Amino acid sequence: MAGFDKRVFSYEQAMEGIEDGMTIIAGGFGLCGIPENLIAEIKRRRVKDLTVVSNNCGVDGFGLGLLLEDRQIRKIFASYVGENALFEQQMLNDEIEVVLTPQGTLAEKMRAGGAGIPAFYTATGYGTPIGEGKEVREFNGRPHILEEAMTGDFAIVKGWKADRYGNVVYRHTAQNFNPMAATAGRITVVEVEEIVEPGELEPSQIHTPGIYVDRIIQGSFEKRIEKRTVRS
Amino acid sequence: MAGFDKRVFSYEQAMEGIEDGMTIIAGGFGLCGIPENLIAEIKRRRVKDLTVVSNNCGVDGFGLGLLLEDRQIRKIFASYVGENALFEQQMLNDEIEVVLTPQGTLAEKMRAGGAGIPAFYTATGYGTPIGEGKEVREFNGRPHILEEAMTGDFAIVKGWKADRYGNVVYRHTAQNFNPMAATAGRITVVEVEEIVEPGELEPSQIHTPGIYVDRIIQGSFEKRIEKRTVRS
Amino acid sequence: MALTREQMAQRVARELEDGFYVNLGIGIPTLVANYIPDGIDVMLQSENGLLGMGRFPTEDELDPDMINAGKQTVTARPGAAIFSSAESFAMIRGGHVDLTVLGAFEVDQNGNIASWMVPGKLIKGMGGAMDLVAGAENIICTMTHASKHGESKLLESCNLPLTGAGCINRVLTDLAYLEIKDGAFILKERAPGVSVEEIVEKTAGKLIVPAHVPEMTFEESA
Amino acid sequence: MALTREQMAQRVARELEDGFYVNLGIGIPTLVANYIPDGIDVMLQSENGLLGMGRFPTEDELDPDMINAGKQTVTARPGAAIFSSAESFAMIRGGHVDLTVLGAFEVDQNGNIASWMVPGKLIKGMGGAMDLVAGAENIICTMTHASKHGESKLLESCNLPLTGAGCINRVLTDLAYLEIKDGAFILKERAPGVSVEEIVEKTAGKLIVPAHVPEMTFEESA
């Protein structure tokens, strides 16, 4: 790997350095735009006591749900954790700690983490259990709560296309949390459907500039659909 | 104007409603990507006592520099105000109030204003005159200062292409402050080089979604170069 | 008679204005999209990062990378924009969405809403609901007026943990359309055949009843 | 002899590492781009929203929509990315830039830097300098060691209003290359033909002088 060539050629290399107890920030919304092969590699490595920051926790047997099977996740920050029987069971048994976080606050915490903003005020959650214990301050006559940024030891991201330099574009609504996750990892790993040559992506149309990205891997994806809804 | 058709067909319409004493948030960096015709229209209307939020203040006779000629700007938030003799003179004569603001903080204040984040912490400016009088708080063992969001009565923005719905893309580094400015205006006016049909812009490649935009106008632009630098 | 889910969606749809950007929550709010009045164009925002949600896809259009916040596969209409979750909630939190429609377990006379958590039951999370109620200036709650056992859900003060404080100003129940103002529910309309007395009886919070409370009307065909 | 501007740029360029993202300020820092060593690839970040700044344009390539933070017309290299000012400073503030090189009026032994304001003189603004020094973990200041009148600019404590507090760890002057650590300047290298005595004399802040201070060398052709 010389200069800015961030390609790796195995999932083992892609997740090299992940250890027990680390914090993982993951892109994806539901099962859309999730780094499915990077998650599978984390399962394969059997690392434990992970803290995961992700909007959802996959479903039974797919996505982050895979990491529940061997109880690899100790704590998760998420906005919605339904659709997963194993998760419910572990939550009820106190085998997993869940920090429910409003979706927009979660996105902004990741963005702030990557952007060097240690904390910000938001009206979201004021007066609710989410605001308990948090500093309250009035701005423009309205109470807001202080929320702190989040970063991870690893960020795992699913892109559509990337160049060797790690510039990434996302496809449709598979973008979701991925761009913020990409900024917030000490080591950011992006798996994509296609790696193209530098110069092929229009510079002003890049969603995640390569400066945020440490490793790029090309993979193939199942892209499971959670709620298939069609019209005739 | 029905539904989401945000086109207007004269600069007079584009700046309708601007009044003395209002706050104008402007896109642009130097003379690159500035809403030059919207500025000219503000000059034509002779509105006074304006507060302007913009990284720079144009040059003598062009860009925001035009608004200095009739002393239309009472106060400006900017990171750099060189390149302008008239500006220097008004500043030395206390005819204009200048609130120097670090460039990244300025960009973040506009973004926060549009995003409903009333305030955020940043290390930028701590221990400097910029930090004086601002709350200091330690995060991760490092002092940060509290900075508040900025919004405007009007935002004036220069785009490249837009559709009727107000979805905008910017060209090259003419993007700069424009996307943040676009989010922070109570009334956001975007002038562009070309208006295209809805559907012509790839949805995931839109820089400014139409929800932020109130008026779109197609214009022609001088695009003056501040520091022409070429190699042979 | 109490409104059907479809009638509730129809009634909410009458609050839409041409050019509105609207976020529709899961359940009855989603149905509102089926009743957008003629001559009115609204743009649906889905908080996972889509402005301009279109119809459900045909089998041929089906794309796993194209979903809405309810995780259903959808399409984008021409002129749609797609963006990150941070940008999506910048829109929401920044007050750029014109109308938000979402369900609730309880609402009270001070505009508090509880919609995400029933202590003792499994908690699945608030998703984007807390951001939506904190960010929107214009919210309609859709809910049943009372539980199956007849207990009011329009309260003096919410019993359940809140989703947001003092942020709701309009409620559509299966019995009535109400506004919330100055610490009281104001009865604006009643469902066809539902008496003011029934609404009074099933409203635990402070209720202001004007002299005349019109009955909602629905077209037969709807 | 004191280093020329070109030699200063050359010396700074030796601190570049393959794969570095680098922000170069106006003046001598800009010249560093001309001396990138063979076999080393760096990506230049320009804070107006360009990662991967290329060479100056030819007349044919000249484009008013393509400038750098110094407002000069530039090009983008293949693999460049262009983005908003908020994104640009997210990179900077978030510590993603590997090396920042910028000028200074004064630096002190505690790593404070003053570079933007001389009271009584016209103030043009700090531009992105305060964000850059607060955000970067790795900064090289380029400056003259002393004023024309011989007054040191490497001080015990900056006299001028600061650009940033405790953020500078390396300084290249026309006389020496120094590190700042634990409240002192550490003399690492001296300009060719410049004596340690001269550097000691012209450094007002606490200076640690190791037993051996190597002389910088420059190729003749440079």
Side-chain angles (χ1 to χ4, degrees):
Chain A
M1 198 177 89
F4 295 93
D5 189 350
K6 296 172 179 176
R7 289 173 300 172
V8 296
F9 298 93
S10 74
Y11 278 94
E12 203 170 341
Q13 279 178 286
M15 291 309 297
E16 194 178 308
I18 190 168
E19 289 173 18
D20 291 357
M22 280 188 167
T23 296
I24 314 293
I25 305 228
F29 180 93
L31 299 182
C32 182
I34 61 171
E36 51 182 85
N37 301 298
L38 295 172
I39 293 167
E41 171 65 16
I42 295 173
K43 176 172 175 66
R44 198 193 62 77
R45 284 174 172 256
R46 303 184 149 277
V47 285
K48 297 213 183 274
D49 291 325
L50 298 175
T51 295
V52 169
V53 184
S54 169
N55 189 58
N56 311 89
C57 196
V59 296
D60 286 316
F62 194 65
L64 288 169
L66 286 175
L67 305 187
L68 298 170
E69 295 169 358
D70 302 313
R71 295 197 180 74
Q72 292 177 268
I73 304 177
R74 186 180 54 78
K75 184 174 184 177
I76 183 165
F77 293 81
S79 88
Y80 193 80
V81 290
E83 345 289 5
N84 197 318
L86 193 52
F87 190 95
E88 295 186 10
Q89 186 196 309
Q90 292 186 16
M91 195 160 84
L92 292 171
N93 293 349
D94 280 333
E95 290 170 338
I96 189 166
E97 182 185 349
V98 183
V99 185
L100 289 173
T101 308
Q103 196 173 131
T105 295
L106 189 67
E108 193 67 12
K109 278 169 168 275
M110 289 186 193
R111 191 236 172 221
I117 301 288
F120 58 90
Y121 287 95
T122 176
T124 300
Y126 169 74
T128 79
I130 298 310
E132 279 168 24
K134 290 178 182 156
E135 181 190 313
V136 175
R137 185 178 302 200
E138 250 187 46
F139 294 95
N140 313 313
R142 207 176 156 200
H144 291 74
I145 60 175
L146 184 67
E147 292 280 5
E148 296 200 12
M150 276 184 165
T151 55
D153 298 297
F154 271 82
I156 55 174
V157 169
K158 161 66 173 62
W160 178 30
K161 293 182 186 178
D163 64 23
R164 280 190 271 126
Y165 295 176
N167 293 305
V168 183
V169 293
Y170 304 96
R171 188 165 173 275
H172 302 333
T173 61
Q175 182 172 165
N176 57 60
F177 280 84
N178 281 297
M180 286 73 70
T183 69
R186 190 167 50 75
I187 298 174
T188 290
V189 189
V190 184
E191 59 172 335
V192 296
E193 299 175 40
E194 187 186 353
I195 295 181
V196 302
E197 285 304 301
E200 283 189 49
L201 304 174
E202 170 62 29
S204 61
Q205 299 293 14
I206 287 163
H207 293 120
T208 292
I211 195 168
Y212 295 115
V213 176
D214 298 282
R215 301 173 194 167
I216 283 278
I217 184 166
Q218 185 172 314
S220 59
F221 298 84
E222 176 185 338
K223 294 195 187 180
R224 196 179 292 185
I225 293 176
E226 205 163 340
K227 292 190 187 165
R228 182 190 182 88
T229 317
V230 294
R231 67 187 156 97
S232 44
Chain B
M1 198 176 90
F4 295 93
D5 188 350
K6 296 173 180 176
R7 289 173 301 172
V8 297
F9 299 93
S10 73
Y11 277 94
E12 203 170 341
Q13 279 178 286
M15 292 308 298
E16 195 177 308
I18 190 169
E19 289 174 18
D20 291 356
M22 280 189 167
T23 296
I24 314 293
I25 305 226
F29 180 93
L31 299 182
C32 182
I34 61 171
E36 51 182 87
N37 300 298
L38 296 172
I39 294 167
E41 172 64 15
I42 294 173
K43 176 171 175 65
R44 197 192 64 78
R45 284 173 171 257
R46 304 185 150 274
V47 286
K48 298 211 182 275
D49 292 326
L50 299 175
T51 295
V52 169
V53 184
S54 168
N55 189 58
N56 311 89
C57 196
V59 296
D60 287 314
F62 195 66
L64 289 169
L66 285 175
L67 305 187
L68 298 170
E69 295 169 0
D70 301 313
R71 294 197 179 74
Q72 293 176 269
I73 304 177
R74 187 181 54 78
K75 184 175 184 177
I76 183 166
F77 293 81
S79 87
Y80 193 80
V81 290
E83 346 288 7
N84 198 317
L86 193 52
F87 191 93
E88 294 186 10
Q89 188 196 310
Q90 292 187 14
M91 194 159 83
L92 292 171
N93 294 349
D94 281 332
E95 291 170 338
I96 188 166
E97 182 186 349
V98 183
V99 184
L100 290 172
T101 307
Q103 197 173 130
T105 295
L106 189 68
E108 193 67 12
K109 277 170 168 273
M110 288 186 193
R111 192 238 171 218
I117 301 288
F120 58 90
Y121 287 95
T122 177
T124 300
Y126 168 75
T128 79
I130 298 309
E132 280 169 24
K134 290 178 182 158
E135 182 190 313
V136 174
R137 185 179 301 200
E138 249 186 49
F139 294 96
N140 312 313
R142 206 175 158 201
H144 292 74
I145 61 175
L146 184 67
E147 292 279 5
E148 296 200 13
M150 273 183 169
T151 55
D153 297 298
F154 272 83
I156 54 173
V157 169
K158 160 67 173 64
W160 178 30
K161 293 183 186 177
D163 63 23
R164 281 189 271 127
Y165 295 175
N167 293 305
V168 183
V169 293
Y170 304 96
R171 189 166 173 274
H172 301 334
T173 61
Q175 183 172 164
N176 56 61
F177 280 82
N178 281 297
M180 287 74 69
T183 69
R186 190 168 51 75
I187 298 174
T188 291
V189 189
V190 184
E191 59 172 336
V192 296
E193 299 174 40
E194 188 185 351
I195 295 180
V196 302
E197 284 303 301
E200 284 189 47
L201 303 175
E202 170 63 28
S204 61
Q205 298 293 14
I206 286 163
H207 293 121
T208 292
I211 195 170
Y212 295 116
V213 175
D214 298 284
R215 301 173 193 166
I216 283 279
I217 184 166
Q218 184 171 314
S220 58
F221 299 84
E222 176 185 337
K223 293 195 188 181
R224 196 179 292 185
I225 293 176
E226 204 163 340
K227 293 188 186 167
R228 182 190 182 88
T229 317
V230 293
R231 67 187 157 96
S232 44
Chain C
M1 244 179 54
L3 300 184
T4 63
R5 287 163 57 87
E6 284 70 23
Q7 284 175 320
M8 287 177 73
Q10 275 182 74
R11 177 60 193 85
V12 169
R14 290 176 197 160
E15 300 299 312
L16 300 174
E17 292 179 24
D18 195 29
F20 260 22
Y21 294 97
V22 180
N23 184 294
L24 301 175
I26 295 170
I28 292 167
T30 301
L31 299 177
V32 173
N34 300 333
Y35 298 101
I36 295 167
D38 284 346
I40 293 221
D41 191 9
V42 301
M43 196 82 81
L44 300 177
Q45 204 260 14
S46 196
E47 65 264 28
N48 59 316
L50 171 58
L51 182 70
M53 183 163 60
R55 298 171 63 180
F56 293 122
T58 61
E59 285 287 347
D60 286 349
E61 292 167 337
L62 192 76
D63 186 333
D65 289 338
M66 196 69 208
I67 68 168
N68 66 15
K71 291 161 194 165
Q72 297 169 308
T73 44
V74 290
T75 58
R77 59 178 272 182
I82 295 174
F83 34 81
S84 73
S85 301
E87 182 66 49
S88 186
F89 283 94
M91 284 173 198
I92 290 167
R93 199 191 301 107
H96 303 279
V97 174
D98 296 300
L99 179 66
T100 291
V101 185
L102 80 176
F105 301 150
E106 296 175 350
V107 167
D108 73 25
Q109 65 196 33
N110 292 309
N112 298 319
I113 172 174
S115 66
W116 71 286
M117 180 185 182
V118 180
K121 282 202 187 178
L122 186 74
I123 308 309
K124 298 199 170 186
M126 70 295 286
M130 284 191 183
D131 308 281
L132 280 159
V133 298
E137 300 202 348
N138 198 1
I139 302 174
I140 301 177
C141 266
T142 59
M143 58 195 298
T144 52
H145 207 102
S147 73
K148 287 172 193 167
H149 312 294
E151 289 158 28
S152 178
K153 297 179 176 181
L154 275 58
L155 306 173
E156 194 181 328
S157 178
C158 288
N159 296 311
L160 296 171
L162 297 188
T163 308
C167 48
I168 306 301
N169 40 32
R170 289 191 279 174
V171 183
L172 178 75
T173 72
D174 53 342
L175 304 184
Y177 176 67
L178 310 98
E179 289 180 7
I180 301 176
K181 205 177 164 187
D182 300 332
F185 295 99
I186 304 164
L187 181 57
K188 303 298 280 188
E189 297 172 29
R190 57 202 168 88
V194 171
S195 68
V196 167
E197 289 66 33
E198 180 179 352
I199 294 164
V200 169
E201 188 196 333
K202 289 187 172 166
T203 304
K206 181 174 174 186
L207 178 69
I208 294 173
V209 182
H212 175 64
V213 181
E215 202 169 81
M216 297 174 205
T217 56
F218 295 92
E219 285 176 32
E220 285 305 313
S221 63
Chain D
M1 244 178 54
L3 300 183
T4 63
R5 288 163 56 87
E6 285 71 23
Q7 284 174 321
M8 288 177 71
Q10 275 182 72
R11 177 61 194 84
V12 170
R14 291 177 196 160
E15 300 299 312
L16 300 173
E17 293 178 26
D18 195 30
F20 260 21
Y21 294 97
V22 180
N23 184 293
L24 300 175
I26 294 169
I28 293 167
T30 301
L31 299 177
V32 172
N34 299 333
Y35 297 100
I36 296 167
D38 284 345
I40 292 223
D41 192 9
V42 301
M43 197 81 83
L44 300 178
Q45 204 260 13
S46 197
E47 65 263 27
N48 59 315
L50 171 57
L51 182 70
M53 183 164 59
R55 299 172 63 181
F56 292 122
T58 60
E59 285 287 347
D60 285 350
E61 291 167 338
L62 192 76
D63 186 332
D65 289 338
M66 195 70 208
I67 68 168
N68 65 15
K71 291 160 194 164
Q72 297 169 308
T73 44
V74 290
T75 59
R77 59 178 271 183
I82 294 175
F83 34 80
S84 74
S85 301
E87 181 67 50
S88 185
F89 283 94
M91 285 175 196
I92 290 167
R93 200 189 302 104
H96 303 279
V97 174
D98 296 300
L99 179 66
T100 290
V101 185
L102 80 177
F105 300 149
E106 296 176 350
V107 167
D108 74 25
Q109 66 197 33
N110 292 310
N112 297 320
I113 172 174
S115 67
W116 71 286
M117 181 183 181
V118 180
K121 282 201 186 179
L122 186 73
I123 308 309
K124 297 197 171 187
M126 71 294 286
M130 285 192 181
D131 309 280
L132 281 159
V133 299
E137 299 201 348
N138 197 1
I139 302 173
I140 301 178
C141 266
T142 60
M143 59 195 299
T144 52
H145 207 102
S147 73
K148 285 173 192 165
H149 311 295
E151 288 157 28
S152 178
K153 296 179 177 182
L154 275 58
L155 305 172
E156 193 181 329
S157 177
C158 288
N159 296 311
L160 295 171
L162 298 187
T163 308
C167 48
I168 306 300
N169 39 32
R170 289 190 279 173
V171 183
L172 178 74
T173 72
D174 53 342
L175 303 184
Y177 177 67
L178 310 98
E179 289 181 8
I180 301 176
K181 205 178 166 187
D182 300 331
F185 294 99
I186 304 165
L187 181 57
K188 304 298 281 188
E189 297 173 29
R190 58 201 167 88
V194 170
S195 68
V196 167
E197 289 66 32
E198 181 179 351
I199 294 166
V200 169
E201 187 196 332
K202 289 186 172 166
T203 304
K206 181 174 174 186
L207 179 68
I208 293 174
V209 181
H212 175 64
V213 180
E215 202 168 80
M216 295 174 206
T217 56
F218 294 92
E219 285 177 33
E220 285 305 315
S221 63

